[in-house]
Amino acid sequence: VENSLSTPSRACLMTGLYSHQNGQRQLGKGIDTTKVFFSEILQQHGYQTGVVGKWHMQCEPKGFDYYHVLWDQGDYYNPDFITQTNDTIQRHGYITNLITDDAIDWMENKRDKEKPFCLLIHHKAIHRNWMADTCNLALYEDKEFTLPDNFFDDYEGRPAAAAQEMSVVKDMDMIYDLKMLRSDKNSRLKSLYEKFLGRMDEGQRAAWDKFYAPIIEDFYKQNLQGKELANWKFQRYMRDYMKTVKSLDDNVGRVLD
């Protein structure tokens, strides 16, 4: 695709057009719904079409015999889905599993098996803020990830690169991204993270707190600074990231099986 942002990327995929041609130049509104989606062409040629998971183009999925798509960006735990009857329903569970369940159910039980089909499986993972499934929380905690050679780059002579807001050291939110939630600590995105936690049921939240509580306590006790803090952030980020990838890998395997 021709755009690295998720929604414009999806618009390029659906239309086969560059962002300045399909109207979706950024996140939010923009897609020109008069443009033909490739799913419509497949329908015209006898295919059954479906899409499950992330959509986030602020228009109804077009050219699909079946869709079950996430509300907005989607939540890692107990997410809301939009159905073809325009209902918004909350489903219980972890998002990567739920999307896969829906995809497999459609392939095995809902499609016309006399017809060729095209099913788009759009996962939220591994989107920020990398909330792993509770069954994977303990993975990779003994793994030390190697820092990239340019991790401490000062971007000298490259003002555009220096202006980016994707730095692990500078821009990762201690609570939202790195999960270091404590009542006496604040961050710019703390309330959003608390909203995500609020979607969990009692068992999910208990497993989450049981895992992160000792990490949180140890982190604030250490009071790390400078490069030690930067390395800690990188390790915490990579472990959460890889746990989220693990679930995605497992679910891709389920679909292939």
Side-chain angles (χ1 to χ4, degrees):
V1 295
E2 301 299 333
N3 196 308
S4 59
L5 293 177
S6 60
T7 301
S9 168
R10 204 168 296 109
C12 293
L13 170 70
M14 294 310 306
T15 62
L17 300 171
Y18 290 104
S19 299
H20 69 279
Q21 297 170 317
N22 65 43
Q24 191 76 52
R25 297 169 181 261
Q26 57 189 358
L27 297 175
K29 294 181 180 179
I31 185 71
D32 180 355
T33 55
T34 67
K35 303 297 185 186
V36 176
F37 286 9
F38 84 85
S39 48
E40 297 177 280
I41 299 172
L42 289 180
Q43 278 186 325
Q44 293 164 11
H45 289 270
Y47 276 74
Q48 269 201 309
T49 55
V51 57
V52 297
K54 195 167 181 182
W55 184 249
H56 201 229
M57 287 203 293
Q58 300 198 17
C59 70
E60 184 178 359
K62 189 170 66 154
F64 292 101
D65 299 298
Y66 174 79
Y67 67 78
H68 197 73
V69 294
L70 293 168
W71 169 255
D72 198 54
Q73 293 271 10
D75 291 281
Y76 274 109
Y77 281 87
N78 308 324
D80 293 331
F81 285 84
I82 301 170
T83 71
Q84 276 173 290
T85 55
N86 206 30
D87 292 320
T88 301
I89 59 170
Q90 184 176 17
R91 294 183 61 194
H92 181 267
Y94 185 67
I95 194 168
T96 312
N97 301 328
L98 293 173
I99 292 169
T100 306
D101 290 345
D102 200 35
I104 291 172
D105 181 53
W106 185 80
M107 288 190 290
E108 291 188 345
N109 303 314
K110 293 178 179 174
R111 66 184 175 92
D112 181 350
K113 295 185 179 180
E114 299 299 313
K115 293 182 177 181
F117 73 92
C118 174
L119 175 64
L120 307 185
I121 307 174
H122 290 181
H123 281 287
K124 174 189 174 66
I126 43 181
H127 198 289
R128 188 184 185 189
N129 65 338
W130 316 288
M131 295 177 73
D133 195 351
T134 52
C135 64
N136 291 326
L137 287 175
L139 295 177
Y140 312 122
E141 287 301 305
D142 59 348
K143 170 74 174 173
E144 188 76 12
F145 291 90
T146 303
L147 288 174
D149 291 340
N150 63 346
F151 188 71
F152 293 108
D153 195 338
D154 62 6
Y155 303 107
E156 183 180 358
R158 290 168 291 148
Q164 52 78 20
E165 295 182 10
M166 298 183 290
S167 165
V168 171
V169 177
K170 296 184 300 179
D171 302 310
M172 275 199 165
D173 190 281
M174 286 304 310
I175 294 175
Y176 177 76
D177 292 314
L178 300 170
K179 325 296 190 299
M180 295 298 103
L181 176 66
R182 206 166 76 175
S183 59
D184 63 333
K185 302 292 182 180
N186 288 302
S187 74
R188 184 174 66 89
L189 298 174
K190 178 180 180 179
S191 61
L192 184 56
Y193 179 65
E194 289 176 322
K195 180 182 175 184
F196 291 165
L197 293 181
R199 298 189 68 87
M200 293 179 173
D201 66 25
E202 186 176 342
Q204 292 164 341
R205 182 62 189 271
W208 190 268
D209 290 344
K210 181 180 178 181
F211 173 75
Y212 279 105
I215 296 174
I216 293 168
E217 182 180 3
D218 181 65
F219 169 72
Y220 287 114
K221 187 185 298 181
Q222 290 187 73
N223 193 28
L224 299 171
Q225 303 293 327
K227 289 190 174 183
E228 282 190 335
L229 176 59
N231 181 62
W232 184 94
K233 287 181 176 181
F234 180 75
Q235 301 304 327
R236 186 73 263 142
Y237 157 58
M238 285 300 297
R239 288 164 185 159
D240 288 345
Y241 182 90
M242 293 305 295
K243 294 169 193 181
T244 309
V245 174
K246 175 66 165 62
S247 179
L248 186 60
D249 285 348
D250 289 345
N251 278 286
V252 169
R254 289 177 60 205
V255 171
L256 294 176
D257 289 345

